[in-house]
Amino acid sequence: MQRNRLADEQPGDPHVTTSDSLVFSPPAGSAMLRPDFLFGAATASYQIEGAATADGRHPSIWDTFCRVPGAVHNADNGDVACDHFHRWQSDLQLISDLGFDGYRFSVSWSRVMTVDGQRNEKGLDFYKRLLDELERRGLKSFLTLYHWDLPQHLQDRGGWLNRDTATRFAEYADLMSREVAGRVSAWTTLNEPYCSAYLGHTTGRHAPGLKDVRYGVESMHHLLLGHGLATEAVRANDKAPVGLVANVCAMVPASDSPKDRRAAELSYANANTWVLDPLLLGTYPEELAELWPGVKAPVRAGDMATISTRMDYLGINYYFRSNIRSDGAHGYVEEDLPNVERTQMGWEVYPDGLRDLLLDFKHRYPGLPPIYITENGMASDDSPVAGRVADEQRLRYLNRHVAAVDQAMRQGVDVRGYFAWSLLDNFEWSYGYEKRFGLVHVDYDTQVRTPKDSALALKRFLEQRRG
């Protein structure tokens, strides 16, 4: 087994040297400086685990999608990824060594349940061992049930276009919450249903690769219904908090014209309130009727009450802002703003958007639950030089975004934790292994982990915070 550098190198070794000028530092007086504010790192099962056929795991929609010619950059796939399935102990050691308070990860549905819906003992044991080790190390465990990797056999029966998949998801949630009750700090039902519905069923950029607005609307409804049913199932078995994670995006109109302002409002509804309104208000936003004329969610009696069942927390994933102009009809197009800082993904770096969205949500949703920033980070073209990975832009990015979160907190938004995306460089979905979001560099040939300068700056901050 390959080792990680932080655990192996001794103080003073050049592999762990970084400039003292690189500092992670929330604003003075911030609530983030208190020990009860949670700092963690996040991952997802298909992006890091590998071991695609180990111990009875069967294919997910991403295993299938990766085999579609042209679907994923360089025809990459998650068969090996970061080999976390075999290296999880050293990866948890890495999380401890970096000083994090918690770890957000997801379970592979295909690993823990068989095709006929029965428990897979070996797959369950993997996550039980992981949870037990997190507890032994004093790390909070934020377990996500669904991070986009639907079992392929369910997709073969319609996937999220089939209402029955919501019921199957609740059965999976019931199994997991019975099996690991008392071991989980917080449950997440769905990660970013917008990406599953819109990218997976409307634009086809993600698995299962479908391209129809109606498919996006139908799959979103069944995803949210699955969330409500799964929330009820988890609560029947465990007392840990239950929530959902939504990705959100800031919007700015390309001009002050009424058409561009309306286009930005429609884009905001698509990216943000399409998910949040049903969860927190029990209704879909009215802008959707203008955005997609004649397309309606397949709502049945009682669905919206189930979808809007109380959440104990809301996870927010934020990365960038979009510049929006009207397409001259019912929709909008995105245009790049000139002369702005961008990441390797081409996304604009705009920390104020996170603050503004948090404040918007506080005003729009009177019953807004406590918030965790469950993903925030950036991709950069990182490579080790003499054992060091200099990623100053990432550290600036993180510092500016935690400052934006602090500004929202000072104006009354209840934020209780922040998870950096991601712990490790990993399989970045349709971008394959080209984009590197990790705090820790992964050499995919050797599986050597090298903490980047940003990770080491976070480590120093967390050590100082603990005194």
Side-chain angles (χ1 to χ4, degrees):
M1 180 180 292
Q2 294 289 337
R3 302 176 297 174
N4 70 70
R5 292 193 182 279
L6 188 60
D8 296 340
E9 308 297 350
Q10 299 301 313
D13 188 287
H15 289 312
V16 295
T17 300
T18 183
S19 170
D20 289 338
S21 66
L22 297 180
V23 176
F24 178 78
S25 180
S30 173
M32 294 180 179
L33 300 173
R34 299 198 312 251
D36 61 344
F37 188 89
L38 180 68
F39 276 98
T43 66
S45 55
Y46 190 76
Q47 293 181 271
I48 67 166
E49 284 182 1
T53 60
D55 292 341
R57 182 188 178 275
H58 51 90
S60 76
I61 55 175
W62 273 95
D63 294 284
T64 302
F65 190 66
C66 288
R67 270 66 185 180
V68 176
V72 176
H73 175 76
N74 199 39
D76 290 337
N77 59 64
D79 287 0
V80 177
C82 304
D83 197 29
H84 174 74
F85 183 82
H86 297 111
R87 304 168 192 272
W88 66 272
Q89 290 171 304
S90 59
D91 285 342
L92 294 196
Q93 178 69 51
L94 184 58
I95 294 170
S96 291
D97 289 343
L98 290 172
F100 287 112
D101 307 313
Y103 178 45
R104 177 176 174 249
F105 65 98
S106 74
V107 171
S108 168
W109 189 348
S110 296
R111 199 179 292 285
V112 299
M113 292 187 81
T114 64
V115 172
D116 60 359
Q118 301 302 307
R119 53 188 286 133
N120 178 5
E121 197 66 51
K122 290 182 178 180
L124 288 166
D125 283 347
F126 170 72
Y127 295 107
K128 289 177 182 179
R129 292 194 302 271
L130 187 146
L131 285 165
D132 287 347
E133 184 64 14
L134 287 171
E135 183 178 13
R136 189 185 73 80
R137 293 179 177 276
L139 293 164
K140 299 291 186 183
S141 53
F142 276 57
L143 185 155
T144 299
L145 288 166
Y146 187 72
H147 199 126
W148 307 351
D149 47 354
L150 183 72
Q152 181 60 42
H153 73 90
L154 292 178
Q155 182 63 39
D156 294 341
R157 300 206 294 266
W160 290 110
L161 296 178
N162 183 349
R163 184 182 176 93
D164 183 65
T165 300
T167 302
R168 301 287 81 78
F169 181 60
E171 291 173 354
Y172 158 53
D174 176 63
L175 171 70
M176 286 304 304
S177 55
R178 282 188 285 109
E179 290 290 330
V180 299
R183 291 168 161 165
V184 174
S185 303
W187 294 87
T188 298
T189 54
L190 305 176
N191 177 78
E192 299 184 348
Y194 172 86
C195 293
S196 296
Y198 191 73
L199 300 183
H201 293 80
T202 300
T203 69
R205 288 171 50 198
H206 280 189
L210 303 181
K211 299 179 182 180
D212 191 305
V213 167
R214 286 176 172 77
Y215 292 162
V217 171
E218 290 174 14
S219 62
M220 176 67 83
H221 185 69
H222 294 149
L223 281 154
L224 295 179
L225 180 62
H227 153 76
L229 295 173
T231 299
E232 295 169 357
V234 171
R235 285 200 172 123
N237 299 321
D238 195 23
K239 296 180 180 179
V242 187
L244 176 145
V245 165
N247 58 305
V248 298
C249 184
M251 305 295 173
V252 59
S255 75
D256 198 40
S257 72
K259 286 186 176 180
D260 284 352
R261 290 201 307 270
R262 184 55 179 169
E265 292 171 353
L266 295 176
S267 177
Y268 187 98
N270 175 36
N272 301 322
T273 59
W274 185 18
V275 171
L276 295 179
D277 276 14
L279 295 170
L280 298 170
L281 299 178
T283 184
Y284 286 104
E286 61 183 18
E287 289 87 352
L288 298 185
E290 181 178 347
L291 189 59
W292 303 312
V295 180
K296 294 183 178 181
V299 180
R300 297 184 186 178
D303 282 3
M304 301 313 293
T306 298
I307 289 171
S308 60
T309 189
R310 176 186 58 84
M311 292 189 292
D312 298 308
Y313 75 93
L314 174 65
I316 292 294
N317 296 352
Y318 174 82
Y319 291 96
F320 61 93
R321 175 178 70 165
S322 291
N323 182 48
I324 304 297
R325 71 170 175 83
S326 172
D327 67 355
H330 298 289
Y332 58 88
V333 293
E334 298 181 18
E335 290 186 339
D336 285 346
L337 285 167
N339 305 316
V340 298
E341 181 184 2
R342 296 189 181 278
T343 71
Q344 187 192 19
M345 298 287 288
W347 296 342
E348 180 191 1
V349 178
Y350 189 70
D352 287 353
L354 177 53
R355 176 202 62 207
D356 295 344
L357 285 166
L358 292 174
L359 293 172
D360 284 351
F361 299 157
K362 180 178 184 292
H363 295 138
R364 185 179 181 95
Y365 306 114
L368 185 69
I371 286 174
Y372 287 86
I373 306 302
T374 37
E375 287 185 28
N376 181 231
M378 59 158 283
S380 56
D381 187 12
D382 302 322
S383 58
V385 177
R388 174 184 171 188
V389 183
D391 62 337
E392 185 176 352
Q393 186 190 14
R394 178 173 288 104
L395 189 56
R396 290 198 312 270
Y397 181 103
L398 297 175
N399 271 317
R400 293 170 63 195
H401 282 81
V402 297
V405 173
D406 175 71
Q407 292 167 10
M409 293 170 70
R410 292 174 191 266
Q411 296 182 61
V413 181
D414 184 5
V415 181
R416 300 189 181 181
Y418 176 96
F419 290 82
W421 184 269
S422 172
L423 173 68
L424 303 171
D425 290 337
N426 55 44
F427 176 78
E428 186 50 42
W429 307 111
S430 61
Y431 295 96
Y433 293 99
E434 182 186 28
K435 312 297 186 185
R436 292 181 176 269
F437 276 87
L439 296 169
V440 176
H441 180 275
V442 177
D443 183 319
Y444 297 116
D445 292 328
T446 66
Q447 293 295 340
V448 166
R449 276 80 156 130
T450 304
K452 303 175 186 180
D453 282 1
S454 59
L456 299 177
L458 275 162
K459 171 182 166 64
R460 288 196 299 272
F461 161 73
L462 293 168
E463 288 174 342
Q464 293 166 0
R465 189 181 67 151
R466 291 191 179 96

